Amino acid sequence: MTLSEAERITQLLQTAKTIAVVGLTDSPMRPSYGVSSYMQSHGYRIIPVNPNISQSLGEPAYASLHEIPEKIDIVNIFRRPEAVPEIVDQAIQLKVPAIWMQEGVIHEAAVEKAQQAGIFVVMDKCILKEHRRYLR
């Protein structure tokens, strides 16, 4: 029996602990900051991935996924679609179990490549909205 996408999302959000947020900024005015702050307030460890900042949400920032010295459960992408293939390649190399592409972040070829590598992918959905929907 295969799980529905809703069941897989619920399971992922229940078991994940660490979220690397690619494109997280240190500006409270940006959606990446608000969404990540919400997830942090619900017990997730947020790791900022952005070469242009030194920290965000009280956590040190890393220039790329390769620099993160700990296990990542979800790579959450807040970047333009053209940046997605490189991020997916890094996630595959690091054997990250899940990639989450925020609303408006769509790249079918990268999704297919990640899925072929055994990675669960959520595309074009807001992790905050899905958390509220499934884990009230």
Side-chain angles (χ1 to χ4, degrees):
M1 180 170 115
T2 58
L3 297 175
S4 70
E5 184 182 47
E7 290 168 326
R8 291 189 74 190
I9 287 172
T10 301
Q11 190 174 64
L12 173 64
L13 293 174
Q14 287 172 334
T15 59
K17 295 183 179 14
T18 303
I19 304 172
V21 183
V22 181
L24 177 56
T25 72
D26 54 3
S27 170
M29 303 307 292
R30 303 292 301 166
S32 63
Y33 188 96
V35 168
S36 297
S37 177
Y38 169 89
M39 297 305 288
Q40 188 180 56
S41 75
H42 283 81
Y44 296 91
R45 173 147 158 63
I46 300 299
I47 301 174
V49 181
N50 183 335
N52 301 314
I53 62 171
S54 61
Q55 67 86 35
S56 183
L57 297 169
E59 296 285 344
Y62 296 90
S64 73
L65 293 174
H66 287 299
E67 294 183 17
I68 298 171
E70 61 193 271
K71 180 181 172 288
I72 302 165
D73 298 315
I74 302 172
V75 171
N76 188 10
I77 303 174
F78 273 96
R79 296 285 315 278
R80 290 197 165 105
E82 57 268 20
V84 170
E86 181 182 351
I87 297 163
V88 167
D89 287 345
Q90 289 181 31
I92 291 169
Q93 291 167 4
L94 295 170
K95 298 179 174 37
V96 174
I99 295 172
W100 196 294
M101 297 162 64
Q102 284 295 131
E103 289 177 337
V105 182
I106 300 168
H107 198 294
E108 298 287 350
V111 169
E112 190 173 320
K113 185 174 184 179
Q115 289 172 335
Q116 288 175 350
I119 296 173
F120 175 53
V121 181
V122 178
M123 181 173 65
D124 194 25
K125 292 185 188 285
C126 176
I127 197 168
L128 179 155
K129 291 178 184 175
E130 298 301 301
H131 185 273
R132 282 184 177 157
R133 173 190 273 170
Y134 298 118
L135 299 179
R136 292 178 200 182

